[in-house]
Amino acid sequence: MSGSGPGLAEWLQNRMELLSPSHPALLPLDTVVGAWRVVARAGCGVYGAVYRAVPAHDAHGAPVALKLALHPADPRFAREAELLARCQHPSIPRLLDQGCWHSSSGTSHPFLVMQWVDGVPLYDQARLQPPKPSQARRWMLQLVQALAVLHAQGAVHRDLKGGNILVRRSDGRAMLVDFGTGLYPGAGTLTPAMAFPGTPIYRSPESWLFEVRFYRDAAARYRATAADDLYALGVTVCYLLIGEYPEPAAPSRGADGTVHLEGVLLPPALLKSSTVDPVLRACALRLLSVDPAQGGTAAQLAQELESTLEPALSVPRHVWRKRALAAAAVLALSLGVWRALPGKPPQAPSVARAESSGAESGEVGTTGLGEAAAELPQEKAPTDSSEEVLGAAPLPKPEPGQLRPDQRGLCPIKGQVILNGVCWWIGIGDAEKCLELGGQVVKDTCYVPVILPKRKNPPTSGP
């Protein structure tokens, strides 16, 4: 017990320092930071605390967002300031000022001052007031235009997600925020090797594939590209449309020894729901393609989306509807995903688990990849991670007596899906339990055939 004294004293001292008013996360109201006066706390992250502030000499001046580093001399802030200064777009907050704040203990903490965005996170806004297709497309257009400006600088955001998109109350504009993990050419490297900033469920297939292949290589470093931002935008659009996330499938090694990632597991509702806007469905499928080249560029997508918002007000509604479907077909046909449009059932629909509404967590969708990675032999890291091959997932084989869809093309029970012309229950879980149920395990997905029970000699026991 006596040996615990110094440890307890040290712990108390650390807690007192953390709770000190001079800590950057706990600034009292009316604290002056540079030329700005703190008037409210707005939030706190891993690296910075955000405050609402006004000009120190004008209490009635326009509010700003003051982001203060939690760690002394944090180089991330200089990098974020440089990135914001390079990117001028209405959907990117403007950089107004930067400097250093000195705590009472003598430490120096960099700060940024940005345009204040009075808005609501994207998913929350959609839950409060479900957007019309035209409004959702407008948000999408604004975001891809912002990305086009960012990517034109050779820069990437690296943490695009629903939580980093705010819908501004004053005009409904979608604002892309939090550029703290962004990169641009010449920026200093701050992320450790084999570390992947951002939220796992938004990570691109090529990012997961790189981690699977080289997780034992302590020096391997993944190079994020514009395609990573665009894939994350596709995930965002998917969740915005149906409230479910797509997931990367499990990796496997082909006969030639190359590691493959067998596509993206798409929620069936994205492919089948008649309430999904066909234009945004086609955009989501485009961005979620396992081949980064199929996604195109943000500038190309912006041009195509803009054309769907251009018809004059005098155009009859039924004509506009036809034009929207035609625009969606053009987007989809260019990617070979025309079967996903209304009236065209997908040839091989993919499936994914529905996640809870709070799925900004970094725990979503990572377990299967980690387990699979441990079973694969390792290779030397390539200089360019874009050399990987992404393949198509195989389908389960039909079994004798398996039920086929009716004349309307439907299986008897809601939730069953049609693959290879027959009906299946699909799940993701314990392979042993799947086999006990008479199912097939294909790429970590359990397919249980729907077979009508025989009329002769019915079982006397319960199921």
Side-chain angles (χ1 to χ4, degrees), residues 110-458:
F111 68 85
L112 305 177
V113 177
M114 296 166 285
Q115 172 189 4
W116 176 260
V117 179
D118 181 17
V120 180
L122 179 67
Y123 300 151
D124 292 342
Q125 176 64 33
R127 281 190 285 266
L128 291 170
Q129 186 176 358
K132 295 180 179 179
S134 59
Q135 178 60 67
R137 288 183 210 168
R138 193 168 291 110
W139 286 341
M140 178 77 163
L141 175 60
Q142 292 162 353
L143 293 170
V144 294
Q145 287 175 336
L147 285 179
V149 170
L150 184 68
H151 295 165
Q153 301 288 330
V156 287
H157 187 280
R158 295 206 301 174
D159 196 18
L160 194 153
K161 60 182 179 180
N164 283 339
I165 299 170
L166 300 179
V167 178
R168 194 161 56 192
R169 288 188 174 93
S170 61
D171 57 3
R173 172 174 282 276
M175 302 290 294
L176 181 59
V177 300
D178 197 351
F179 286 73
T181 58
L183 281 178
Y184 55 87
T189 301
L190 302 176
T191 305
M194 289 308 293
F196 300 84
T199 304
I201 198 66
Y202 291 86
R203 280 175 53 188
S204 66
E206 52 270 28
S207 168
W208 283 117
L209 185 59
F210 186 90
E211 181 175 7
V212 167
R213 290 194 66 186
F214 310 115
Y215 78 102
R216 290 180 180 172
D217 187 345
R221 188 179 299 276
Y222 179 73
R223 301 175 183 177
T225 68
D228 291 87
D229 284 345
L230 291 172
Y231 180 84
L233 182 61
V235 175
T236 303
V237 175
C238 178
Y239 192 86
L240 178 67
L241 291 175
I242 62 171
E244 296 181 45
Y245 288 108
E247 298 182 25
S252 63
R253 187 175 294 276
D256 60 354
T258 305
V259 177
H260 299 258
L261 195 61
E262 307 293 347
V264 176
L265 300 176
L266 300 175
L270 179 65
L271 302 170
K272 298 178 179 179
S273 176
S274 60
T275 62
V276 173
D277 176 32
V279 170
L280 291 181
R281 171 191 280 126
C283 289
L285 292 172
R286 170 178 184 162
L287 296 174
L288 294 173
S289 170
V290 295
D291 181 2
Q294 295 296 326
T297 67
Q300 292 169 344
L301 185 58
Q303 186 176 6
E304 294 163 2
L305 273 171
E306 195 168 15
S307 67
T308 72
L309 294 170
E310 285 180 351
L313 295 178
S314 59
V315 176
R317 183 174 181 178
H318 72 279
V319 175
W320 163 231
R321 173 68 176 170
K322 289 181 179 180
R323 291 184 181 179
L325 288 170
V330 170
L331 284 170
L333 281 170
S334 67
L335 301 168
V337 294
W338 60 274
R339 296 177 182 84
L341 293 177
K344 300 288 185 180
Q347 184 178 21
S350 301
V351 295
R353 298 188 300 272
E355 303 296 343
S356 63
S357 61
E360 288 292 346
S361 167
E363 300 295 328
V364 180
T366 62
T367 304
L369 286 168
E371 294 173 351
E375 300 174 357
L376 294 173
Q378 298 302 299
E379 304 174 11
K380 185 178 179 181
T383 55
D384 185 355
S385 61
S386 64
E387 296 174 358
E388 306 307 329
V389 180
L390 304 177
L395 297 178
K397 297 179 181 179
E399 298 189 5
Q402 190 164 349
L403 192 67
R404 296 182 178 275
D406 60 21
Q407 295 180 349
R408 298 173 298 167
L410 301 175
C411 291
I413 300 178
K414 184 178 180 181
Q416 296 173 348
V417 299
I418 304 169
L419 294 175
N420 274 345
V422 291
C423 298
W424 303 84
W425 290 106
I426 296 182
I428 301 175
D430 190 330
E432 183 177 348
K433 180 63 68 176
C434 179
L435 296 176
E436 289 179 1
L437 295 172
Q440 303 175 30
V441 179
V442 181
K443 301 304 179 188
D444 290 342
T445 300
C446 177
Y447 299 87
V448 179
V450 180
I451 300 177
L452 289 178
K454 296 181 180 180
R455 296 294 180 182
K456 295 182 180 180
N457 301 323

Side-chain angles (χ1 to χ4, degrees), residues 77-96:
F77 280 65
R79 193 173 68 180
E80 183 175 359
E82 176 65 23
L83 185 56
L84 289 173
R86 294 185 181 198
C87 301
Q88 302 294 323
H89 187 270
S91 286
I92 298 176
R94 298 188 307 276
L95 178 68
L96 304 175

